[in-house]
Amino acid sequence: DTEVTQTPKHLVMGMTNKKSLKCEQHMGHRAMYWYKQKAKKPPELMFVYSYEKLSINESVPSRFSPECPNSSLLNLHLHALQPEDSALYLCASSPHWLAVNEQFFGPGTRLTVL
Amino acid sequence: QKEVEQNSGPLSVPEGAIASLNCTYSDRGSQSFFWYRQYSGKSPELIMFIYSNGDKEDGRFTAQLNKASQYVSLLIRDSQPSDSATYLCAVNGVGSSNTGKLIFGQGTTLQVKP
């Protein structure tokens, strides 16, 4: 299994809602990542988890809260988002962090904040 | 100077031609280099990675790395309309602020015309 899965595919939420994005991989990878991508821009790193511990937080606003319940799962909890947070949210995984290895992306969640 | 630079394009080639995509990077300490293909509205897909100077071939794709010139390229032979996409060059980050991150270029849009 060489796949990263993400749910939901699409999400529309109001500014007062609380929602969660989910990511799962079964490749035995020990590093997982959240990225945000706006149209016609490259992915922007948000968070990195290595061995289920938060290793990088790219000064992301607290309305985004990551969680890594186990080595296969990564969640991103959303609360009180702003319309400018509308974007494609990508999860990725790699065998190890801080090593020369490839990152594999999931299909993404298209988020619209009204 | 941007850390990873790509010409945004669009690069337009006729079907059957060779498409040449180029990328330069600023940090001499970078060790690993990746090419991702991203179709409109989809997530990035890893198509090539290269760690050593020289050429690496995989089917119609050839990645070329020249560390002395800090230059990496992707050649697509026998280009097909289905190759039309944005190609993202990514380089492993080094130094205190970039270690553990993939540094992306802005991407080059390739159009293959039938």
Side-chain angles (χ1 to χ4, degrees):
Chain A
D1 187 354
T2 58
E3 194 178 51
V4 178
T5 60
Q6 290 187 246
T7 56
K9 286 189 172 55
H10 302 275
L11 179 62
V12 179
M13 60 187 289
M15 289 190 283
T16 58
N17 292 157
K18 284 186 182 181
K19 297 285 185 184
S20 296
L21 309 185
K22 296 187 184 301
C23 173
E24 190 167 7
Q25 58 88 14
H26 292 290
M27 295 180 278
H29 289 177
R30 304 318 301 262
M32 297 184 77
Y33 310 78
W34 280 116
Y35 288 86
K36 172 183 177 179
Q37 188 177 26
K38 294 282 224 179
K40 300 194 185 303
K41 296 289 187 185
E44 290 176 47
L45 183 64
M46 301 174 72
F47 303 103
V48 179
Y49 274 83
S50 175
Y51 286 86
E52 298 147 56
K53 294 200 182 323
L54 183 64
S55 299
I56 292 181
N57 176 342
E58 288 285 79
S59 303
V60 178
S62 59
R63 57 186 185 268
F64 296 91
S65 175
E67 178 195 19
C68 190
N70 61 53
S71 60
S72 301
L73 290 173
L74 187 65
N75 298 323
L76 186 63
H77 303 297
L78 314 172
H79 174 55
L81 295 193
Q82 304 297 309
E84 59 265 29
D85 296 321
S86 299
L88 180 67
Y89 287 84
L90 296 161
C91 175
S93 72
S94 65
H96 295 284
W97 185 51
L98 295 179
V100 177
N101 54 48
E102 311 84 71
Q103 285 186 29
F104 298 92
F105 285 88
T109 293
R110 176 74 59 188
L111 174 67
T112 303
V113 182
L114 301 176
Chain B
Q1 182 190 3
K2 289 183 186 171
E3 292 170 284
V4 179
E5 294 209 49
Q6 297 181 255
N7 188 324
S8 62
L11 172 66
S12 185
V13 301
E15 184 175 354
I18 295 175
S20 178
L21 303 155
N22 304 316
C23 174
T24 58
Y25 61 96
S26 60
D27 200 317
R28 286 196 173 274
S30 296
Q31 297 291 322
S32 50
F33 307 87
F34 307 92
W35 284 100
Y36 287 87
R37 177 177 63 199
Q38 187 170 25
Y39 293 114
S40 181
K42 302 295 186 183
S43 66
E45 175 192 6
L46 180 66
I47 54 172
M48 289 289 286
F49 57 89
I50 186 166
Y51 303 144
S52 304
N53 270 332
D55 294 1
K56 178 181 178 183
E57 189 174 314
D58 184 0
R60 294 186 297 114
F61 299 100
T62 299
Q64 299 176 316
L65 175 61
N66 184 326
K67 288 186 179 179
S69 301
Q70 295 175 241
Y71 178 94
V72 59
S73 64
L74 179 70
L75 301 179
I76 306 175
R77 288 182 299 282
D78 188 24
S79 295
Q80 300 297 309
S82 57
D83 295 325
S84 299
T86 295
Y87 289 80
L88 293 161
C89 172
V91 176
N92 74 293
V94 294
S96 57
S97 60
N98 285 334
T99 294
K101 303 176 187 177
L102 269 187
I103 312 300
F104 285 91
Q106 292 296 305
T108 298
T109 300
L110 173 65
Q111 297 174 346
V112 180
K113 306 212 166 178

